Amino acid sequence: MAIDAADLPLLFGEAKRCPFAGSVLTLGRQDVTVTPAALRRVAGQCGFDLPRPLPTDLPPDERLDDGTLLRALGFDEVDSMDVSDYEGATVIHDLNAPAPPEGLEGRYDLVFDRGTAEHVFHLPNLLSTVVRLA
């Protein structure tokens, strides 16, 4: 799923209400359609100061990746969970399984889903896993 410029005001609003920090797990890798220039522009329009500067070596007109975006919003660590490593997930796990991967319970401050849940057949297992990871 994608995070685009229309999503940024909502993310900025949440980060203002309760600043993002710690570790985040995304369910699936997130496609980001936002460039560094667009991120800075929308942040300025929303009166939001990015908690962390973007890396200086980013081309201003290339899309950000999900890790770079989420770190700029304040997270220290960004992981992604998927059933395979096809898109470069850092945690390989089938969300249809009855339990989260060993050692990850309570590991994350936020579990972020932008559409992966619609591809999981066993929703009770998915929801139980998400609760246990946070």
Side-chain angles (χ1 to χ4, degrees):
M1 304 274 82
I3 299 172
D4 59 31
D7 299 314
L8 295 177
L10 175 65
L11 289 170
F12 295 156
E14 284 302 305
K16 281 182 182 179
R17 188 180 67 75
C18 182
F20 297 148
S23 58
V24 60
L25 175 72
T26 64
L27 300 185
R29 290 293 309 269
Q30 307 304 301
D31 184 30
V32 178
T33 65
V34 177
T35 64
L39 178 64
R40 289 183 186 102
R41 184 182 69 252
V42 176
Q45 291 168 345
C46 293
F48 181 75
D49 294 323
L50 293 172
R52 294 211 172 112
L54 291 169
T56 57
D57 61 343
L58 293 175
D61 293 326
E62 280 190 27
R63 294 175 171 190
L64 296 169
D65 65 59
D66 52 354
T68 301
L69 173 64
L70 292 167
R71 280 193 233 14
L73 292 176
F75 289 103
D76 301 309
E77 297 178 55
V78 179
D79 282 330
S80 57
M81 180 180 283
D82 210 331
V83 71
S84 77
D85 64 358
Y86 174 73
E87 292 183 318
T90 57
V91 178
I92 308 305
H93 178 70
D94 183 352
L95 288 164
N96 290 296
E102 191 170 317
L104 293 185
E105 287 195 38
R107 164 90 172 74
Y108 298 98
D109 297 293
L110 175 71
V111 177
F112 184 84
D113 179 27
R114 188 79 173 108
T116 295
E118 70 185 42
H119 302 283
V120 177
F121 295 107
H122 201 291
L123 288 179
N125 285 352
L126 170 119
L127 294 172
S128 174
T129 293
V130 166
V131 168
R132 293 166 67 183
L133 291 169

